[in-house]
Amino acid sequence: MGSRSRKRGRAGADLATKRPDAAERPAAADSPPATDRPPATEPAPEQPGDDGLRRGYARGRARDEEIRAGLQPLAPGERPRPVTVAAIVAFAFAIGNVLAALTGNDISSASGDPSIATAVTTALLLVAGLGMLARQYWAVLGFQTILGLQIVFFSLYLIGVQKVWQAIIPLVAIGLLGWLFWKLVRPMAQLQMPTRPPRDPAP
């Protein structure tokens, strides 16, 4: 019995020496091989027009910054001349609406009474004119919207013109309204700037 137990003990010792230890196994065996990793995605090539668009935007921003740097802030109570002209034009349009309603040449109902559209546009013109006299930015912006709508209206009117002389008045109106619209751009930017402090009187 003693010899059998000694043989079993030797056999177990030989198996222990042949089995590799888990701690001695290389750590690289647990990680996947480098070939199994997904390839890195390459950035999409830039389109030829992207560079031109970026340059155009950059030039536009630089031009806007240059224009803003050249603007002079308004003095307290100062009103740019184009804003005053626009206020007068707004009051003239309002008076024209009232006269058209009284003479029945406006968009009226069957009874000949002034329509709601005429009353609303007249009120908007009066509010815009008073706001521009008060040097309000929102009034200038609103009147520019009215000018844009008038330009579109006269442009659509030109489509149905059949004689050359009938296009003279719409073309003149489009030119004058477009000129006034352009002239209001700079004063509108000035109204957003802080007011320039008044100068001290000379001793």
Side-chain angles (χ1 to χ4, degrees):
M1 293 293 293
S3 62
R4 291 181 179 178
S5 61
R6 285 194 298 271
K7 290 179 180 180
R8 291 176 181 175
R10 290 175 183 175
D14 294 339
L15 290 175
T17 56
K18 292 180 180 179
R19 187 188 311 170
D21 191 7
E24 296 178 357
R25 295 178 182 175
D30 297 334
S31 59
T35 56
D36 295 341
R37 297 179 182 176
T41 57
E42 297 180 357
E46 295 184 358
Q47 299 295 334
D50 293 345
D51 194 16
L53 288 176
R54 283 196 295 268
R55 287 198 300 266
Y57 291 148
R59 287 195 298 266
R61 287 193 297 267
R63 184 171 59 251
D64 293 342
E65 293 296 333
E66 183 180 356
I67 293 175
R68 292 190 187 97
L71 291 176
Q72 294 294 331
L74 300 174
E78 181 183 2
R79 186 190 313 113
R81 184 176 299 177
V83 176
T84 304
V85 174
I88 296 173
V89 173
F91 292 140
F93 282 171
I95 294 173
N97 280 349
V98 173
L99 293 178
L102 294 177
T103 56
N105 294 323
D106 64 328
I107 305 173
S108 58
S109 60
S111 60
D113 297 331
S115 65
I116 298 177
T118 302
V120 171
T121 54
T122 302
L124 289 176
L125 289 169
L126 291 175
V127 171
L130 293 174
M132 285 186 289
L133 290 180
R135 303 169 61 251
Q136 296 297 320
Y137 168 81
W138 57 264
V140 179
L141 181 61
F143 187 68
Q144 278 192 313
T145 304
I146 296 175
L147 289 178
L149 294 176
Q150 290 292 329
I151 292 173
V152 172
F153 171 77
F154 283 114
S155 300
L156 294 176
Y157 178 79
L158 288 174
I159 298 176
V161 170
Q162 298 178 353
K163 297 181 181 180
V164 178
W165 63 268
Q166 294 177 345
I168 296 177
I169 294 179
L171 288 175
V172 172
I174 291 173
L176 292 177
L177 296 177
W179 174 84
L180 184 57
F181 184 95
W182 174 253
K183 285 296 183 180
L184 287 175
V185 174
R186 182 179 292 267
M188 188 170 59
Q190 288 178 312
L191 291 175
Q192 289 184 301
M193 300 175 62
T195 305
R196 181 176 56 193
R199 296 181 179 179
D200 296 332

